[in-house]
Amino acid sequence: MRKIIGGMFQSLDGVIQGPGGQTEDPTGGFAFSGWMPAVSDETAGAAIGRFFDRPYDLLLGRRTYEIFAAYWPFVSGDHAAMGQAFTAAAKYVLTRGDQPLTWANSHRLGDIHAVARLKQGDGPDLLIQGSSTIYPALLAAGLLDELVLYSFPLVLGDGKRLFGAGTPALTFAPISHEVTPSGIVIASYAPGSGVELGSFGQIDSALEDARQRRMAEGTW
């Protein structure tokens, strides 16, 4: 059985939109597409290289696939080897649409059940880059094995975020972490069980009783 391992770049306030370039994803009026290069460093670059330093296929959402397909087959210079590796890898696109997938070695997955069947089969691990919209379904189905978050030291305010509607409440178990010289936190997590509720202690407080009443009444 394969593992499904996700990698995601995010700001400190959880924005994942358009990290790689100014034309990558300015949709919705996002003003900061291309925010990542100026705050990255060599240690983070090496960690990203290690993420792909294994046999792998790619599991992508439709929009990330289109970003990749328009860029990686045509890139030259320092990134040409990565472009060649992405082109050679099998690319599985989770999409409900019927748009053509023209990039070599691309395959359509119509629903999360197709992802589950793919995971159960033989082959290398399935790596996700970007593709934030597929995480709620993967987590709800228990299909994600590991999530690597690269948190960069900036705040962007508005923009798309990783965990959208339909994401189940889960506790994650830490696997590893490191902090780069520029303050980028690279942390790997495994999805775990549900969220347990507790308290650091109860108090006898008339002010707290009144606050609870206002919350129940919707006037707090």
Side-chain angles (χ1 to χ4, degrees), residues 42-74:
E42 291 184 1
T43 303
I48 295 167
R50 290 194 300 272
F51 183 79
F52 291 104
D53 188 19
R54 69 185 98 184
Y56 64 86
D57 290 340
L58 292 172
L59 175 62
L60 304 170
R62 188 265 301 173
R63 290 179 179 173
T64 298
Y65 172 82
E66 290 185 355
I67 292 170
F68 278 24
Y71 178 81
W72 286 112
F74 309 101

Side-chain angles (χ1 to χ4, degrees), residues 9 20 28 66 77 97 124-125 131 145 156 164 189-190 195 207 213-214 219:
F9 309 132
E66 290 185 355
D125 289 341
S131 305
D145 294 285
L156 297 172
Y189 303 92
V195 176
L207 289 176
R213 284 194 300 272
R214 294 201 304 275
T219 60

Side-chain angles (χ1 to χ4, degrees), residues 114-204:
V115 178
R117 291 192 295 270
L118 180 65
K119 177 179 169 65
Q120 290 293 329
D122 295 328
D125 289 341
L126 295 157
L127 302 186
I128 308 168
Q129 187 66 59
S131 305
S132 62
T133 58
I134 72 176
Y135 279 98
L138 289 173
L139 289 169
L143 296 176
L144 186 70
D145 294 285
E146 184 178 343
L147 176 63
V148 184
L149 286 179
Y150 304 76
S151 298
F152 290 79
L154 78 169
V155 172
L156 297 172
D158 295 324
K160 298 173 183 176
R161 283 164 165 81
L162 174 56
F163 298 118
T167 302
L170 291 173
T171 300
F172 283 71
I175 297 173
S176 64
H177 73 278
E178 64 176 306
V179 182
T180 78
S182 296
I184 302 159
V185 179
I186 304 170
S188 178
Y189 303 92
S193 57
V195 176
E196 296 184 12
L197 305 181
S199 174
F200 287 110
Q202 300 295 323
I203 57 172
D204 184 9

